Amino acid sequence: MAGPAPAAHENWSSRLAFMFAAIGSAVGLGNIWKFPYEAGEGGGGAFVLIYLAFVFGIGVPVMIAELSLGRRGKMSPPNAVRSVAKQEGRSNLWSIAGWSGVIGAFLVLSFYSVIAGLTLSYMVDSFSGSIDTLDASNSADYFGSITGNFPLLLLWHAIFMGLTIAVVARGIHGGLEKAVTWLMPALFAILILLVTYAMAVGDAASTFTFLFQPDFSKVTLETVIQALGQAFFSLSLALGSIMAYGAYVPRDVSLPKSAFIIAGADTAVAILAGLAIFPIVFQYGLEPGAGPGLVFITLPVAFAQMPGGILVGGAFFLLLAIAALTSAISLLEPIVAWLEEHRGINRVKSAIGGGIAIFILGIGSVLSFNYWADVTFLRGTVLDNLDFLTNNIIMPLGGLLVAVFVGWRMKRISIRDELAPKSEFGFALWLFMLRYVCPLALG
Ligand code: PHE
């Protein structure tokens, strides 16, 4: 598997550019539609506490490890891990820790793009006013009519993949950095506006109870596992993205500090998303329904009733689309970096080729909503299976391998060299979490 000598990659042009890109990766559909609902259902404040413990106790240590591997290996995830393993005198097989990321990213992006396409469709329909008439009786039917429309869903999936390819094809400086320096401030601005609006016109009291009042009786083992999975997905771990971005981080940037900022921003956005959504849901007496239902069925009903709902609704779906796009580019990047290095294919061709392959796989997920809705095997539809495979197998496995490799197989001196720890206590604590706690939790 020894490919041609890989070309050295570019670096982020500033620390801020890296922060925007990494936070853009972390903040995605997971924050805006999944977290608020899971928190509300999983015991409010109790879930939030467990989630925070996982984010900072397990997610951050693994993120530091991934960033270190990326920066030390200076290549796409599989080659970065292989190169570090070689420096450390370890087996080539450790590159599986990078492979699982690239393969996982490929699979996840294939269905992530389909959902993101749906948000684009809703965004256009919101701004054009065509869904301003939805009410509780027909919103679900409308959702069904969109997802049941195979060519329409396919078209939006294609448009979203096209946007993602267009950004990644332009490279780190001309593509990713440029996109995130525009999109991330826009995302924060829209989010703050929506939270302010929701708090002003909506039912803030019920929202605080739902999201924050701890109810430990609702916490089951399943909730705990869900919180861990959500923490991993939300932080973009074990799918190659963070490791690939780590490869472009200049030497003088502190990785531990960066990881804390990324995790903090990601968590803040998740909570803010809840504060934007639930006041409106409760104000209009709607049920905080699950996952896609909350965002695509329940919220449009609220938008249709509220004054200025066309703009608020449009802004909300724009927010989702931006969040999804900055995550999608981070899923395509590890794949493109690998194609570039390993096959010597230039970036434009790699982005187009990789993107088209992902688009084609995504057709399976598009079909899962309509023609193949009844075609189920193993865990359900094609989409259900991809979701299960990535969430329950590839991600925990990838995270475990990274933790074990960095925690047990790298020399202390190399890790110290990479992290330049300022606090001995912090370093020891990180290593302890990585060696004992992370493998246990992920295993
Ligand atoms: N973190 C993103 C979200 O919350 C999803 C993602 C996972 C993006 C892994 C990149 C890598 O939606």
Side-chain angles (χ1 to χ4, degrees):
M1 285 215 294
H9 286 289
E10 312 168 79
N11 270 351
W12 300 111
S13 46
S14 66
R15 186 188 135 127
L16 188 68
F18 163 53
M19 283 292 121
F20 274 160
I23 294 170
S25 170
V27 171
L29 297 172
N31 301 59
I32 300 175
W33 97 32
K34 237 174 158 182
F35 174 85
Y37 168 75
E38 286 184 342
E41 283 293 279
F47 183 92
V48 175
L49 282 179
I50 297 169
Y51 179 79
L52 282 175
F54 283 145
V55 164
F56 289 98
I58 295 180
V60 167
V62 172
M63 184 181 283
I64 296 172
E66 276 200 30
L67 289 169
S68 308
L69 281 176
R71 183 163 75 179
R72 211 160 177 76
K74 274 250 149 281
M75 276 178 264
S76 69
N79 290 333
V81 184
R82 180 175 320 108
S83 148
V84 176
K86 199 167 165 204
Q87 292 164 36
E88 301 290 318
R90 301 294 178 185
S91 159
N92 260 344
L93 281 178
W94 282 106
S95 63
I96 296 173
W99 274 115
S100 65
V102 169
I103 294 167
F106 191 87
L107 302 176
V108 167
L109 186 51
S110 79
F111 61 84
Y112 202 81
S113 165
V114 176
I115 313 287
L118 206 50
T119 72
L120 288 177
S121 165
Y122 266 78
M123 180 185 82
V124 170
D125 289 348
S126 298
F127 278 129
S128 72
S130 67
I131 53 172
D132 205 37
T133 51
L134 291 184
D135 59 39
S137 72
N138 60 14
S139 188
D141 293 341
Y142 178 77
F143 178 70
S145 75
I146 298 288
T147 51
N149 188 336
F150 173 76
L152 183 77
L153 215 51
L154 190 69
L155 177 69
W156 283 115
H157 168 46
I159 292 175
F160 185 81
M161 274 315 296
L163 288 171
T164 308
I165 293 170
V167 173
V168 176
R170 287 182 166 75
I172 302 301
H173 295 148
L176 278 72
E177 275 188 20
K178 257 210 188 109
V180 296
T181 31
W182 282 100
L183 295 175
M184 294 314 288
L187 181 141
F188 286 118
I190 299 173
L191 185 61
I192 300 296
L193 280 176
L194 287 175
V195 172
T196 314
Y197 181 84
M199 284 293 169
V201 307
D203 182 347
S206 307
T207 300
F208 281 111
T209 312
F210 184 68
L211 270 184
F212 299 124
Q213 197 175 77
D215 179 357
F216 282 94
S217 72
K218 282 201 189 149
V219 176
T220 59
L221 180 65
E222 210 174 306
T223 327
V224 175
I225 294 176
Q226 203 176 29
L228 179 61
Q230 173 66 10
F232 246 66
F233 186 75
S234 194
L235 293 176
S236 295
L237 297 175
L239 288 179
S241 302
I242 290 294
M243 206 188 286
Y245 279 8
Y248 315 134
V249 178
R251 293 273 324 159
D252 59 350
V253 171
S254 158
L255 298 180
K257 194 169 150 199
S258 306
F260 274 101
I261 297 175
I262 298 164
D266 185 61
T267 307
V269 170
I271 291 174
L272 286 172
L275 298 182
I277 293 172
F278 291 120
I280 299 176
V281 170
F282 291 129
Q283 181 71 25
Y284 290 94
L286 303 168
E287 272 301 304
L294 176 63
V295 163
F296 294 117
I297 299 174
T298 308
L299 274 178
V301 175
F303 295 141
Q305 291 177 44
M306 65 168 52
I310 292 183
L311 277 181
V312 178
F316 176 78
F317 287 109
L318 176 63
L319 172 79
L320 263 177
I322 293 175
L325 182 61
T326 55
S327 294
I329 57 180
S330 78
L331 285 164
L332 186 54
E333 178 58 30
I335 300 164
V336 168
W338 180 77
L339 286 171
E340 265 190 302
E341 279 164 18
H342 194 69
R343 303 254 155 238
I345 308 171
N346 75 34
R347 179 163 273 267
V348 174
K349 283 194 189 138
S350 298
I352 295 176
I356 289 179
I358 292 166
F359 167 77
I360 293 172
L361 179 64
I363 298 175
S365 294
V366 173
L367 287 164
S368 301
F369 282 106
N370 35 69
Y371 295 119
W372 289 0
D374 298 325
V375 181
T376 54
F377 54 100
L378 302 170
R379 300 275 155 183
T381 61
V382 173
L383 177 61
D384 297 330
N385 278 295
L386 286 173
D387 187 34
F388 180 83
L389 177 66
T390 48
N391 251 315
N392 298 333
I393 298 173
I394 296 183
M395 287 175 56
L397 181 76
L400 183 70
L401 289 174
V402 166
V404 171
F405 180 71
V406 176
W408 293 93
R409 286 290 173 258
M410 273 178 80
K411 295 184 211 74
R412 292 288 161 84
I413 185 165
S414 327
I415 307 179
R416 280 183 181 279
D417 175 52
E418 205 50 51
L419 296 180
K422 292 221 172 59
S423 135
E424 275 312 308
F425 174 73
F427 183 69
L429 183 64
W430 170 72
L431 209 54
F432 174 79
M433 297 310 277
L434 204 62
R435 298 183 79 161
Y436 302 100
V437 182
C438 299
L440 200 75
L442 293 168

